[in-house]
Amino acid sequence: RRKLRELKKLPVGNKRLVEAQDDISKKDISLPEWLSLFKEIQRSRGVHDLHAIDQLCGVLSGMNCGGIKVREIGKEFCIAFVEYLKSGYKTSKGEKLKPKTAFNYQCTLVTALNVAVREGIIPTNPMNLLSRHERAKASRGKRDYLTIDEVKRLIATPCRNETVRNAYLFACNCGLRLGDVRKLTWGDITQDNDKWILSVIMNKSEKPVHIPLGVQARRWIPGCSGSSKHDAGDLVFAYLPGDSHINDILKIWAADAGITKSVTYHTSRHTFATMLLTLGADLYTVSKLLGHSQIKNTQIYAEIINRRKDEAVNLVDKVFD
């Protein structure tokens, strides 16, 4: 444990875990110890909300598996973990987890084990051994998004925080998640004559994406002009408040604009996807712009657009009833 504490003092963003082989035996690291170290790795990568890792630790403590080594985790443990999420774990109110919450805990463990593979602790992620039916599933809930008309109404409505306003409208035109917007620097944006390209490695998927920035996206970048000079390491959207504060500001702003939908920062990503599909972009292109690894993850937006078409036709039918 002393050696683990010494390891955690290392600047994780600069010295990978593999460089600390003399300080700790990677094969002997327990799951709780790894999750603690995983949290520091995520923090060094600019991940803002780390509460999910703490919540996962709380779930695992209820399984009485604190002594298990990461290298000992196999399919049997993964199945037991999922079953515990589905029926064994109880909240402080004595209730079972909602499917979406159980799915989120599962995703956190999957990510933690993926990073363990990357750091050389285990050769493969044992969660990949589970079939689709053995995994926790999130019920497909409603995805709120804004129409083009609603985005225009937001633009015409004053917002109490200009940085939040700019960051949200920027994401409506490029699809970046809040965590990626927070860490976005001027070095991530390149300009070649009239073409602007945003190139980032997404926090969630660790996949690189290259997004052309049109006039509407550039409109909301603070100080985005040909004469402006910025250091490559400077944040584009500096001084953004905390996640919950941002969502509180957005809710008030949306209400002032006469929008009754539940608006959070993530609705900007949904808005970007549905807006492109509405305007005729193909599903494959939208999938690449969103950084989805599989096109099926983008399919939900196409289903949303199709439902809107059905609703439009039904409106015509009602006129002649």
Side-chain angles (χ1 to χ4, degrees), residues 233-248:
D234 288 347
L235 293 175
V236 175
F237 295 96
Y239 310 114
L240 276 171
D243 293 10
S244 60
H245 191 190
I246 286 177
N247 288 330
D248 289 341

Side-chain angles (χ1 to χ4, degrees), residues 4 9 11 24 34 39 45 57 100 119 131-132 134 152-153 161 209 224 254 262 271-272 314:
L4 180 64
K9 292 178 182 178
I24 186 171
W34 167 244
K39 183 176 178 180
R45 293 176 55 240
C57 290
K100 175 62 175 175
E119 298 290 355
S131 68
R132 182 170 58 88
E134 291 171 325
K152 290 180 178 179
R153 282 155 60 186
N161 188 304
V209 293
C224 183
S262 177
T271 298
F272 175 68
N314 289 337

Side-chain angles (χ1 to χ4, degrees), residues 94-108:
E95 301 173 345
K96 291 183 179 180
L97 291 176
K98 295 180 180 179
K100 175 62 175 175
T101 305
F103 178 78
N104 288 341
Y105 287 154
Q106 175 181 266
C107 288
T108 302

Side-chain angles (χ1 to χ4, degrees), residues 248-305:
D248 289 341
I249 293 171
L250 291 176
K251 285 178 171 59
I252 295 172
W253 184 28
D256 291 343
I259 298 171
T260 58
K261 295 176 180 176
S262 177
V263 178
T264 64
Y265 193 89
H266 203 67
T267 57
S268 62
R269 183 169 167 85
H270 300 327
T271 298
F272 175 68
T274 53
M275 184 165 57
L276 289 182
L277 290 170
T278 299
L279 295 174
D282 65 274
L283 196 63
Y284 178 80
T285 300
V286 175
S287 177
K288 291 302 178 184
L289 290 171
L290 292 173
H292 285 166
S293 57
Q294 297 180 350
I295 200 168
K296 67 179 183 179
N297 297 328
T298 321
Q299 187 66 40
I300 179 63
Y301 298 110
E303 294 174 4
I304 290 172
I305 299 303

Side-chain angles (χ1 to χ4, degrees), residues 6 21 50-51 69 73 92 170 184 243 273 275 317:
E6 292 174 357
Q21 294 182 52
L50 300 169
H51 187 53
K69 309 294 185 184
I73 297 176
S92 58
F170 172 74
L184 185 67
D243 293 10
M275 184 165 57
D317 291 342

